[in-house]
Amino acid sequence: LAKTTQPISMDSYEGQEVNITCSHNNIATNDYITWYQQFPSQGPRFIIQGYKTKVTNEVASLFIPADRKSSTLSLPRVSLSDTAVYYCLVGAPYGGSQGNLIFGKGTKLSVKP
Amino acid sequence: NAGVTQTPKFQVLKTGQSMTLQCAQDMNHEYMSWYRQDPGMGLRLIHYSVGAGITDQGEVPNGYNVSRSTTEDFPLRLLSAAPSQTSVYFCASSADRGGFNEQFFGPGTRLTVL
């Protein structure tokens, strides 16, 4: 399973755009890239998933270069409520080679007023 | 829909005791997983299931058993609790949508083993 590397922590201010980059050099052809958000004392919550190029939803954008060895989660105009840990996962969805996704330690984002 | 539910929310055990953490989902999802999260760490996969009657080991399966007799339920059994199993346990479920995989997580069970 592909391992991921992300910054341990990031700081930002309200209203700024935040970009969190994840490295996954040994990503496999069948692997997808998925990001989750976790608040203290809660289970993770799905943010976005993509395979290549760019994916956008109402919460975030995910940028994936052609070689797919990294990806960037972009959070537009963050607020205090975006303070959380963000996890980048790489793996095949269920039904694929192993059917599970590996969580790393994540990036702790702190948004300040 | 209640989503993914877990019981109990909190549990304290003594070393050597056994117990079962319950997990249920009402979304008719094929896939279910158990994770543990230690302080300051990410989630580590314990066991997972791709359907009723089918389970497999994850990254840290030792000391835990699972079974999947129905689509809805996926209990996690601690055979003989050890202090190293003190952790927060999360259950998750997801549906197979041809590559798209969004896991829905329960609220977690905080377990302390003395």
Side-chain angles (χ1 to χ4, degrees):
Chain A
L1 292 171
K3 296 294 185 182
T4 61
T5 302
Q6 348 172 193
I8 293 179
S9 64
M10 292 182 69
D11 292 332
S12 182
Y13 291 93
E14 281 191 295
Q16 288 187 332
E17 178 184 72
V18 171
N19 296 310
I20 306 175
T21 297
C22 178
S23 297
H24 28 81
N25 291 323
N26 59 340
I27 188 170
T29 302
N30 291 337
D31 288 344
Y32 281 69
I33 300 156
T34 312
W35 286 81
Y36 283 82
Q37 175 192 58
Q38 186 180 28
F39 298 112
S41 301
Q42 294 186 23
R45 184 179 71 170
F46 174 91
I47 301 175
I48 197 166
Q49 185 180 67
Y51 184 80
K52 61 180 179 180
T53 62
K54 176 183 175 182
V55 180
T56 297
N57 62 23
E58 64 278 5
V59 176
S61 294
L62 178 59
F63 299 92
I64 306 168
D67 65 7
R68 305 202 323 124
K69 293 185 182 299
S70 67
S71 58
T72 299
L73 174 72
S74 181
L75 304 173
R77 296 185 298 282
V78 294
S79 65
L80 295 176
S81 62
D82 292 316
T83 294
V85 177
Y86 293 83
Y87 295 98
C88 166
L89 286 70
V90 172
Y94 289 106
S97 60
Q98 189 163 342
N100 61 78
L101 300 174
I102 300 295
F103 283 80
K105 294 185 179 180
T107 297
K108 185 173 183 179
L109 173 64
S110 298
V111 180
K112 302 174 183 177
Chain B
N1 285 353
V4 179
T5 58
Q6 293 183 236
T7 56
K9 285 185 168 43
F10 302 93
Q11 183 69 49
V12 178
L13 293 177
K14 294 180 179 179
T15 297
Q17 287 185 314
S18 62
M19 79 158 295
T20 299
L21 308 185
Q22 301 292 344
C23 175
Q25 53 92 10
D26 60 359
M27 297 173 282
N28 201 32
H29 285 169
E30 299 91 340
Y31 309 127
M32 297 186 74
S33 302
W34 275 103
Y35 294 87
R36 62 175 287 174
Q37 185 172 35
D38 300 318
M41 303 288 289
L43 283 75
R44 291 185 291 172
L45 183 67
I46 304 172
H47 286 284
Y48 65 98
S49 169
V50 298
I54 306 170
T55 64
D56 205 347
Q57 297 181 350
E59 184 183 359
V60 288
N62 292 341
Y64 307 95
N65 272 356
V66 292
S67 60
R68 184 98 179 269
S69 56
T70 67
T71 299
E72 295 79 18
D73 300 299
F74 191 43
L76 177 72
R77 282 180 287 276
L78 279 70
L79 309 174
S80 177
S84 61
Q85 294 179 304
T86 294
S87 189
V88 180
Y89 292 83
F90 290 102
C91 178
S93 74
S94 62
D96 181 7
R97 296 196 178 125
F100 179 75
N101 179 278
E102 174 184 353
Q103 292 193 78
F104 294 82
F105 284 82
T109 294
R110 186 174 297 272
L111 175 68
T112 301
V113 182
L114 303 176

